[in-house]
Coordinates of all heavy atoms in Angstrom, one line a residue:
Y10 N -82.4 -92.9 -45.5 CA -82.0 -93.3 -46.8 C -80.6 -92.7 -47.1 O -80.3 -91.6 -46.6 CB -83.0 -92.9 -47.8 CG -84.3 -93.5 -47.7 CD1 -85.4 -92.8 -47.1 CD2 -84.5 -94.8 -48.1 CE1 -86.6 -93.4 -46.9 CE2 -85.8 -95.4 -48.0 CZ -86.8 -94.7 -47.3 OH -88.0 -95.3 -47.2
R11 N -79.9 -93.3 -48.0 CA -78.6 -92.7 -48.4 C -78.6 -92.4 -49.9 O -79.2 -93.2 -50.6 CB -77.4 -93.7 -48.1 CG -77.1 -93.8 -46.7 CD -75.9 -94.7 -46.4 NE -75.7 -94.7 -45.0 CZ -74.5 -94.8 -44.5 NH1 -73.5 -94.9 -45.3 NH2 -74.3 -94.8 -43.2
T12 N -78.0 -91.3 -50.3 CA -78.0 -90.9 -51.7 C -76.8 -90.0 -51.9 O -76.2 -89.5 -51.0 CB -79.3 -90.2 -52.1 OG1 -79.3 -89.9 -53.4 CG2 -79.5 -88.9 -51.3
N13 N -76.5 -89.9 -53.2 CA -75.4 -89.1 -53.6 C -75.9 -87.7 -53.9 O -75.1 -86.8 -54.2 CB -74.6 -89.7 -54.7 CG -73.8 -90.9 -54.3 OD1 -73.4 -91.0 -53.1 ND2 -73.6 -91.8 -55.2
M14 N -77.2 -87.5 -54.0 CA -77.8 -86.2 -54.3 C -77.7 -85.3 -53.1 O -77.8 -85.6 -52.0 CB -79.2 -86.4 -54.7 CG -79.5 -87.1 -56.0 SD -81.2 -87.4 -56.4 CE -81.7 -85.7 -56.6
T15 N -77.5 -84.0 -53.5 CA -77.4 -83.0 -52.4 C -78.9 -82.5 -52.1 O -79.8 -82.8 -52.9 CB -76.6 -81.7 -52.9 OG1 -77.3 -81.1 -54.0 CG2 -75.2 -82.1 -53.2
L16 N -79.1 -81.8 -51.0 CA -80.4 -81.3 -50.7 C -80.9 -80.3 -51.8 O -82.1 -80.3 -52.2 CB -80.4 -80.6 -49.4 CG -80.2 -81.5 -48.2 CD1 -80.2 -80.7 -46.9 CD2 -81.3 -82.5 -48.1
Y17 N -80.0 -79.5 -52.3 CA -80.3 -78.6 -53.4 C -80.9 -79.4 -54.6 O -81.9 -79.0 -55.2 CB -79.1 -77.8 -53.8 CG -79.4 -76.9 -55.0 CD1 -80.1 -75.7 -54.8 CD2 -78.9 -77.2 -56.3 CE1 -80.3 -74.8 -55.8 CE2 -79.2 -76.4 -57.3 CZ -79.9 -75.2 -57.1 OH -80.2 -74.3 -58.2
E18 N -80.2 -80.5 -55.0 CA -80.7 -81.3 -56.1 C -82.1 -81.9 -55.8 O -82.9 -81.9 -56.7 CB -79.7 -82.4 -56.4 CG -78.4 -81.9 -57.0 CD -77.3 -83.0 -57.1 OE1 -77.3 -83.9 -56.3 OE2 -76.4 -82.8 -57.9
F19 N -82.3 -82.4 -54.6 CA -83.6 -82.9 -54.3 C -84.7 -81.8 -54.4 O -85.8 -82.0 -54.9 CB -83.7 -83.4 -52.8 CG -83.4 -84.8 -52.7 CD1 -82.2 -85.3 -52.0 CD2 -84.2 -85.8 -53.2 CE1 -81.9 -86.6 -51.9 CE2 -84.0 -87.1 -53.0 CZ -82.8 -87.5 -52.4
Q20 N -84.4 -80.6 -54.0 CA -85.3 -79.5 -54.0 C -85.6 -79.2 -55.5 O -86.8 -78.8 -55.8 CB -84.7 -78.3 -53.3 CG -85.7 -77.2 -53.1 CD -85.1 -76.1 -52.2 OE1 -83.9 -76.1 -51.9 NE2 -85.8 -75.1 -51.9
Q21 N -84.7 -79.3 -56.3 CA -84.9 -79.0 -57.8 C -85.7 -80.1 -58.5 O -86.5 -79.7 -59.3 CB -83.5 -78.8 -58.5 CG -82.7 -77.7 -58.0 CD -83.4 -76.4 -58.1 OE1 -84.0 -76.1 -59.1 NE2 -83.3 -75.6 -57.0
V22 N -85.6 -81.3 -58.0 CA -86.4 -82.4 -58.6 C -87.9 -82.4 -58.2 O -88.7 -82.7 -59.0 CB -85.7 -83.7 -58.2 CG1 -86.6 -84.9 -58.6 CG2 -84.4 -83.8 -58.8
S23 N -88.1 -82.0 -57.0 CA -89.5 -82.1 -56.5 C -90.0 -80.7 -56.0 O -89.4 -80.1 -55.1 CB -89.6 -83.1 -55.3 OG -90.9 -83.0 -54.8
E24 N -91.1 -80.3 -56.5 CA -91.7 -79.0 -56.1 C -92.4 -79.1 -54.8 O -92.8 -78.1 -54.2 CB -92.6 -78.4 -57.2 CG -91.9 -78.0 -58.4 CD -92.8 -77.3 -59.4 OE1 -93.9 -76.9 -59.0 OE2 -92.4 -77.2 -60.5
K25 N -92.6 -80.3 -54.3 CA -93.2 -80.6 -53.0 C -92.3 -80.3 -51.8 O -92.8 -80.0 -50.7 CB -93.7 -82.0 -52.9 CG -94.8 -82.4 -53.8 CD -95.2 -83.9 -53.6 CE -96.3 -84.3 -54.6 NZ -96.6 -85.7 -54.3
L26 N -91.0 -80.2 -52.1 CA -90.1 -80.1 -51.0 C -89.7 -78.6 -50.9 O -89.5 -77.9 -51.8 CB -88.8 -80.9 -51.2 CG -89.0 -82.4 -51.3 CD1 -87.7 -83.1 -51.7 CD2 -89.6 -82.9 -50.0
I27 N -89.6 -78.1 -49.6 CA -89.2 -76.8 -49.3 C -88.0 -76.8 -48.3 O -88.1 -77.6 -47.3 CB -90.3 -75.9 -48.9 CG1 -89.9 -74.5 -48.7 CG2 -91.0 -76.4 -47.6 CD1 -91.1 -73.5 -48.6
R28 N -87.0 -76.0 -48.5 CA -85.9 -76.0 -47.5 C -86.2 -75.0 -46.4 O -86.6 -73.9 -46.6 CB -84.7 -75.6 -48.3 CG -83.4 -75.9 -47.5 CD -82.2 -75.9 -48.4 NE -81.1 -76.5 -47.8 CZ -80.0 -76.8 -48.4 NH1 -79.9 -76.6 -49.7 NH2 -79.0 -77.2 -47.7
I29 N -86.0 -75.5 -45.2 CA -86.3 -74.6 -44.0 C -85.0 -74.3 -43.2 O -85.0 -73.4 -42.4 CB -87.3 -75.3 -43.1 CG1 -86.9 -76.6 -42.5 CG2 -88.7 -75.4 -43.8 CD1 -87.7 -77.1 -41.3
N30 N -83.9 -75.0 -43.4 CA -82.6 -74.7 -42.9 C -81.6 -75.4 -43.7 O -81.8 -76.1 -44.6 CB -82.6 -74.9 -41.4 CG -82.8 -76.3 -41.0 OD1 -82.2 -77.2 -41.6 ND2 -83.6 -76.6 -39.9
K31 N -80.3 -75.2 -43.2 CA -79.2 -75.7 -44.0 C -79.2 -77.3 -44.2 O -78.8 -77.7 -45.2 CB -77.9 -75.4 -43.2 CG -76.7 -75.7 -44.0 CD -75.5 -75.3 -43.2 CE -74.2 -75.7 -43.9 NZ -73.0 -75.3 -43.1
S32 N -79.8 -78.0 -43.3 CA -79.8 -79.4 -43.4 C -81.2 -80.1 -43.5 O -81.3 -81.3 -43.3 CB -79.1 -80.0 -42.2 OG -79.7 -79.6 -41.0
T33 N -82.3 -79.3 -43.7 CA -83.6 -79.9 -43.7 C -84.5 -79.5 -44.8 O -84.6 -78.3 -45.1 CB -84.3 -79.5 -42.4 OG1 -83.5 -79.8 -41.3 CG2 -85.6 -80.3 -42.2
L34 N -85.1 -80.5 -45.5 CA -86.1 -80.3 -46.5 C -87.4 -80.8 -45.9 O -87.4 -81.8 -45.2 CB -85.8 -81.0 -47.8 CG -84.7 -80.5 -48.7 CD1 -84.5 -81.4 -49.8 CD2 -85.0 -79.1 -49.2
V35 N -88.5 -80.1 -46.2 CA -89.8 -80.6 -45.6 C -90.8 -80.7 -46.8 O -90.8 -79.9 -47.7 CB -90.3 -79.5 -44.6 CG1 -91.7 -79.9 -44.2 CG2 -89.4 -79.5 -43.4
N36 N -91.6 -81.7 -46.7 CA -92.6 -81.9 -47.7 C -93.8 -81.0 -47.3 O -94.3 -81.0 -46.2 CB -93.1 -83.4 -47.7 CG -94.1 -83.7 -48.7 OD1 -94.8 -82.8 -49.2 ND2 -94.2 -84.9 -49.1
R37 N -94.2 -80.1 -48.3 CA -95.2 -79.1 -48.0 C -96.5 -79.7 -47.5 O -97.2 -79.2 -46.7 CB -95.5 -78.3 -49.2 CG -94.4 -77.5 -49.7 CD -94.8 -76.9 -51.1 NE -93.7 -76.5 -51.8 CZ -93.5 -75.3 -52.2 NH1 -94.5 -74.4 -52.0 NH2 -92.4 -74.9 -52.9
S38 N -96.9 -80.9 -48.1 CA -98.1 -81.5 -47.7 C -98.1 -82.0 -46.3 O -99.2 -82.4 -45.8 CB -98.5 -82.5 -48.7 OG -97.6 -83.6 -48.7
K39 N -97.0 -82.2 -45.7 CA -96.9 -82.7 -44.3 C -96.9 -81.7 -43.3 O -96.9 -82.0 -42.1 CB -95.6 -83.6 -44.2 CG -95.6 -84.8 -45.1 CD -96.8 -85.7 -44.9 CE -96.7 -86.9 -45.9 NZ -97.8 -87.8 -45.7
I40 N -96.9 -80.4 -43.6 CA -96.9 -79.3 -42.7 C -98.3 -79.1 -42.1 O -99.2 -78.9 -42.9 CB -96.4 -78.0 -43.3 CG1 -94.9 -78.1 -43.7 CG2 -96.6 -76.8 -42.3 CD1 -94.4 -76.9 -44.5
V41 N -98.4 -79.3 -40.8 CA -99.7 -79.2 -40.2 C -100.0 -77.7 -39.7 O -101.1 -77.3 -39.9 CB -99.8 -80.1 -38.9 CG1 -101.1 -80.0 -38.2 CG2 -99.5 -81.6 -39.4
K42 N -99.0 -77.1 -39.1 CA -99.2 -75.7 -38.6 C -97.9 -74.9 -38.9 O -96.8 -75.5 -39.0 CB -99.4 -75.7 -37.1 CG -100.6 -76.3 -36.6 CD -100.7 -76.2 -35.1 CE -102.0 -76.9 -34.6 NZ -102.0 -76.9 -33.1
I43 N -98.1 -73.6 -39.1 CA -97.0 -72.7 -39.2 C -97.2 -71.5 -38.2 O -98.3 -71.0 -38.1 CB -96.9 -72.1 -40.6 CG1 -96.7 -73.2 -41.6 CG2 -95.8 -71.1 -40.7 CD1 -96.8 -72.7 -43.1
R44 N -96.2 -71.2 -37.4 CA -96.4 -70.1 -36.5 C -95.1 -69.2 -36.5 O -94.0 -69.8 -36.7 CB -96.6 -70.6 -35.1 CG -95.5 -71.3 -34.4 CD -95.9 -71.7 -33.0 NE -94.8 -72.4 -32.3 CZ -94.9 -73.2 -31.3 NH1 -96.1 -73.3 -30.7 NH2 -93.9 -73.8 -30.8
P45 N -95.3 -67.9 -36.4 CA -94.2 -67.0 -36.4 C -93.4 -67.2 -35.0 O -94.0 -67.5 -34.0 CB -94.7 -65.7 -36.5 CG -96.2 -65.8 -36.1 CD -96.6 -67.2 -36.3
A46 N -92.1 -67.0 -35.1 CA -91.2 -67.1 -33.9 C -90.5 -65.7 -33.9 O -90.6 -64.9 -34.8 CB -90.3 -68.2 -34.0
L47 N -89.7 -65.6 -32.9 CA -88.9 -64.3 -32.7 C -87.8 -64.2 -33.7 O -87.3 -65.3 -34.2 CB -88.3 -64.3 -31.3 CG -89.4 -64.2 -30.2 CD1 -88.7 -64.2 -28.8 CD2 -90.2 -62.9 -30.3
N48 N -87.3 -63.1 -33.9 CA -86.1 -62.8 -34.8 C -86.2 -63.3 -36.2 O -85.4 -64.0 -36.7 CB -84.9 -63.4 -34.1 CG -84.5 -62.7 -32.8 OD1 -84.8 -61.6 -32.6 ND2 -84.0 -63.5 -31.9
M49 N -87.3 -63.0 -36.9 CA -87.5 -63.4 -38.3 C -87.4 -64.8 -38.5 O -86.7 -65.3 -39.3 CB -86.6 -62.6 -39.2 CG -86.9 -61.2 -39.3 SD -85.7 -60.3 -40.4 CE -85.7 -61.3 -41.8
K50 N -88.1 -65.6 -37.7 CA -88.1 -67.1 -37.9 C -89.6 -67.5 -37.9 O -90.5 -66.9 -37.5 CB -87.4 -67.8 -36.8 CG -85.9 -67.6 -36.7 CD -85.4 -68.5 -35.6 CE -83.9 -68.3 -35.6 NZ -83.3 -69.2 -34.5
Y51 N -89.8 -68.7 -38.5 CA -91.0 -69.4 -38.4 C -90.7 -70.8 -37.8 O -89.6 -71.3 -37.8 CB -91.6 -69.7 -39.8 CG -92.3 -68.5 -40.4 CD1 -91.8 -67.8 -41.5 CD2 -93.5 -68.0 -39.9 CE1 -92.4 -66.7 -42.0 CE2 -94.2 -66.9 -40.5 CZ -93.6 -66.3 -41.6 OH -94.2 -65.2 -42.1
Q52 N -91.8 -71.4 -37.2 CA -91.8 -72.8 -36.8 C -92.8 -73.5 -37.5 O -94.0 -73.0 -37.7 CB -92.0 -72.9 -35.3 CG -90.9 -72.3 -34.5 CD -91.1 -72.5 -33.0 OE1 -92.2 -72.4 -32.5 NE2 -90.0 -72.8 -32.3
V53 N -92.5 -74.7 -38.0 CA -93.5 -75.5 -38.7 C -93.7 -76.8 -37.9 O -92.7 -77.3 -37.3 CB -93.0 -75.9 -40.2 CG1 -93.0 -74.7 -41.0 CG2 -91.7 -76.6 -40.2
Y54 N -94.9 -77.2 -37.8 CA -95.3 -78.4 -37.1 C -95.6 -79.5 -38.1 O -96.4 -79.3 -39.0 CB -96.5 -78.2 -36.2 CG -96.8 -79.3 -35.3 CD1 -96.0 -79.7 -34.2 CD2 -97.9 -80.1 -35.6 CE1 -96.3 -80.7 -33.4 CE2 -98.2 -81.2 -34.8 CZ -97.4 -81.5 -33.7 OH -97.7 -82.6 -32.9
L55 N -94.8 -80.6 -37.9 CA -95.1 -81.8 -38.7 C -95.9 -82.8 -37.9 O -96.5 -82.4 -36.9 CB -93.8 -82.4 -39.2 CG -92.9 -81.4 -40.0 CD1 -91.6 -82.1 -40.4 CD2 -93.6 -80.9 -41.3
K56 N -95.9 -84.0 -38.2 CA -96.7 -85.0 -37.6 C -96.5 -85.0 -36.1 O -97.5 -85.1 -35.3 CB -96.3 -86.3 -38.2 CG -97.0 -87.5 -37.7 CD -96.6 -88.7 -38.4 CE -97.3 -90.0 -38.0 NZ -96.8 -91.1 -38.7
D57 N -95.3 -84.9 -35.6 CA -95.0 -85.0 -34.1 C -94.0 -84.0 -33.5 O -93.7 -84.2 -32.4 CB -94.6 -86.5 -33.9 CG -93.3 -86.8 -34.6 OD1 -92.9 -86.0 -35.5 OD2 -92.8 -87.9 -34.3
R58 N -93.6 -83.1 -34.3 CA -92.6 -82.1 -33.7 C -92.6 -80.8 -34.5 O -93.0 -80.7 -35.6 CB -91.2 -82.8 -33.7 CG -90.7 -83.0 -35.1 CD -89.3 -83.7 -35.1 NE -89.1 -84.3 -36.3 CZ -88.0 -84.9 -36.6 NH1 -87.0 -85.0 -35.7 NH2 -87.8 -85.5 -37.7
W59 N -92.0 -79.8 -33.8 CA -91.8 -78.5 -34.3 C -90.4 -78.3 -34.9 O -89.4 -78.8 -34.2 CB -92.0 -77.4 -33.2 CG -93.4 -77.2 -32.8 CD1 -94.0 -77.8 -31.7 CD2 -94.4 -76.5 -33.5 NE1 -95.3 -77.4 -31.6 CE2 -95.6 -76.6 -32.7 CE3 -94.4 -75.6 -34.6 CZ2 -96.8 -75.9 -33.0 CZ3 -95.6 -75.0 -35.0 CH2 -96.7 -75.1 -34.2
L60 N -90.3 -77.7 -36.0 CA -89.0 -77.5 -36.6 C -88.9 -76.0 -36.9 O -89.8 -75.3 -37.3 CB -88.8 -78.2 -38.0 CG -88.9 -79.8 -37.9 CD1 -88.9 -80.4 -39.3 CD2 -87.7 -80.3 -37.1
D61 N -87.7 -75.4 -36.8 CA -87.4 -74.0 -37.0 C -87.1 -73.7 -38.5 O -86.3 -74.5 -39.1 CB -86.3 -73.5 -36.1 CG -86.7 -73.4 -34.7 OD1 -87.9 -73.2 -34.4 OD2 -85.8 -73.5 -33.8
V62 N -87.6 -72.7 -39.0 CA -87.2 -72.1 -40.3 C -86.2 -71.0 -40.0 O -86.5 -70.0 -39.4 CB -88.4 -71.5 -41.1 CG1 -87.9 -70.9 -42.4 CG2 -89.5 -72.6 -41.3
N63 N -85.0 -71.2 -40.4 CA -83.9 -70.3 -40.1 C -84.1 -68.9 -40.8 O -84.8 -68.9 -41.8 CB -82.5 -70.8 -40.4 CG -82.1 -71.9 -39.5 OD1 -82.8 -72.2 -38.5 ND2 -81.0 -72.5 -39.7
R64 N -83.5 -67.9 -40.3 CA -83.6 -66.6 -40.9 C -83.1 -66.5 -42.3 O -83.6 -65.8 -43.2 CB -82.8 -65.6 -40.1 CG -83.5 -65.2 -38.8 CD -82.8 -64.2 -38.0 NE -81.4 -64.5 -37.7 CZ -80.5 -63.7 -37.2 NH1 -80.9 -62.5 -36.8 NH2 -79.4 -64.1 -36.9
T65 N -82.1 -67.4 -42.6 CA -81.5 -67.5 -44.0 C -82.6 -67.8 -45.0 O -82.6 -67.4 -46.1 CB -80.4 -68.5 -44.1 OG1 -79.4 -68.2 -43.1 CG2 -79.8 -68.6 -45.4
Y66 N -83.6 -68.7 -44.6 CA -84.6 -69.2 -45.5 C -86.0 -68.5 -45.2 O -87.0 -68.9 -45.8 CB -84.7 -70.7 -45.3 CG -83.4 -71.4 -45.8 CD1 -82.5 -71.7 -44.8 CD2 -83.2 -71.7 -47.1 CE1 -81.3 -72.3 -45.2 CE2 -82.0 -72.3 -47.5 CZ -81.1 -72.6 -46.5 OH -79.9 -73.2 -46.9
Y67 N -86.0 -67.5 -44.4 CA -87.2 -66.9 -44.0 C -88.0 -66.3 -45.2 O -89.2 -66.6 -45.4 CB -86.9 -65.7 -43.0 CG -88.1 -64.9 -42.5 CD1 -88.9 -65.4 -41.5 CD2 -88.4 -63.7 -43.1 CE1 -89.9 -64.6 -41.0 CE2 -89.5 -62.9 -42.6 CZ -90.2 -63.4 -41.6 OH -91.3 -62.7 -41.2
Y68 N -87.4 -65.5 -46.0 CA -88.1 -64.8 -47.1 C -88.5 -65.8 -48.2 O -89.6 -65.8 -48.8 CB -87.3 -63.7 -47.7 CG -87.2 -62.5 -46.7 CD1 -86.0 -62.2 -46.2 CD2 -88.3 -61.8 -46.4 CE1 -85.9 -61.1 -45.3 CE2 -88.2 -60.7 -45.5 CZ -87.0 -60.4 -45.0 OH -86.9 -59.3 -44.1
L69 N -87.6 -66.8 -48.4 CA -87.9 -67.8 -49.4 C -89.1 -68.7 -49.0 O -90.0 -69.0 -49.7 CB -86.7 -68.7 -49.6 CG -86.8 -69.8 -50.6 CD1 -87.2 -69.3 -52.0 CD2 -85.6 -70.7 -50.7
F70 N -89.1 -69.0 -47.7 CA -90.2 -69.8 -47.1 C -91.5 -69.0 -47.2 O -92.5 -69.6 -47.6 CB -89.9 -70.1 -45.6 CG -91.0 -70.9 -45.0 CD1 -91.1 -72.3 -45.2 CD2 -91.9 -70.3 -44.1 CE1 -92.1 -73.0 -44.6 CE2 -92.9 -71.1 -43.5 CZ -93.0 -72.4 -43.7
E71 N -91.5 -67.7 -46.9 CA -92.7 -66.9 -47.0 C -93.3 -66.9 -48.4 O -94.4 -67.0 -48.7 CB -92.4 -65.4 -46.6 CG -92.5 -65.2 -45.1 CD -92.5 -63.7 -44.9 OE1 -91.9 -62.9 -45.6 OE2 -93.1 -63.3 -43.8
E72 N -92.3 -66.7 -49.4 CA -92.7 -66.6 -50.8 C -93.3 -68.0 -51.3 O -94.3 -68.0 -51.9 CB -91.5 -66.3 -51.6 CG -91.8 -66.1 -53.1 CD -90.5 -65.7 -53.9 OE1 -89.7 -64.9 -53.4 OE2 -90.4 -66.3 -54.9
E73 N -92.6 -69.1 -50.9 CA -93.0 -70.4 -51.4 C -94.4 -70.8 -50.7 O -95.2 -71.5 -51.4 CB -91.9 -71.4 -51.0 CG -90.6 -71.2 -51.8 CD -90.8 -71.6 -53.2 OE1 -91.5 -72.6 -53.5 OE2 -90.1 -71.0 -54.1
M74 N -94.6 -70.4 -49.5 CA -95.8 -70.8 -48.8 C -96.9 -69.8 -49.0 O -98.1 -70.1 -48.5 CB -95.5 -71.1 -47.3 CG -94.6 -72.2 -47.0 SD -95.1 -73.8 -47.7 CE -96.5 -74.1 -46.6
G75 N -96.7 -68.7 -49.6 CA -97.7 -67.7 -49.8 C -98.1 -66.9 -48.5 O -99.3 -66.6 -48.4
L76 N -97.2 -66.7 -47.7 CA -97.5 -66.0 -46.4 C -97.3 -64.5 -46.5 O -96.5 -64.0 -47.3 CB -96.6 -66.5 -45.3 CG -96.7 -68.0 -45.0 CD1 -95.6 -68.4 -44.0 CD2 -98.1 -68.3 -44.5

């Protein structure tokens, strides 16, 4: 989809979305698994692939997901 909204604006509109890196928002309800990775990172498993939570968003992710 194309839009003029920034990722930050999307995140503010919907509480279901959580930012995991500079270019990715993830719907919380679609996260199947969360596993810790090296160097203060997490990996989240969605329907068919693993995505990395960057160190920049590590603490925010922990707080938002209640880890």
Side-chain angles (χ1 to χ4, degrees):
Y10 297 100
R11 290 184 177 214
T12 183
N13 290 330
M14 291 177 67
T15 64
L16 290 179
Y17 176 78
E18 291 170 334
F19 267 114
Q20 190 175 3
Q21 296 303 314
V22 172
S23 176
E24 292 187 16
K25 293 181 181 180
L26 300 175
I27 187 167
R28 195 158 191 173
I29 62 168
N30 61 46
K31 185 177 177 183
S32 61
T33 309
L34 288 174
V35 173
N36 186 335
R37 296 171 197 239
S38 65
K39 301 297 181 184
I40 296 175
V41 177
K42 292 181 185 177
I43 300 171
R44 69 179 178 196
L47 296 174
N48 297 328
M49 288 180 48
K50 289 185 180 181
Y51 282 109
Q52 291 184 324
V53 294
Y54 185 72
L55 301 178
K56 185 177 180 181
D57 58 350
R58 64 180 160 179
W59 288 97
L60 298 173
D61 288 330
V62 178
N63 288 357
R64 288 186 300 177
T65 305
Y66 298 95
Y67 178 84
Y68 291 112
L69 180 62
F70 181 79
E71 273 191 333
E72 182 180 320
E73 294 286 326
M74 296 302 291
L76 301 174

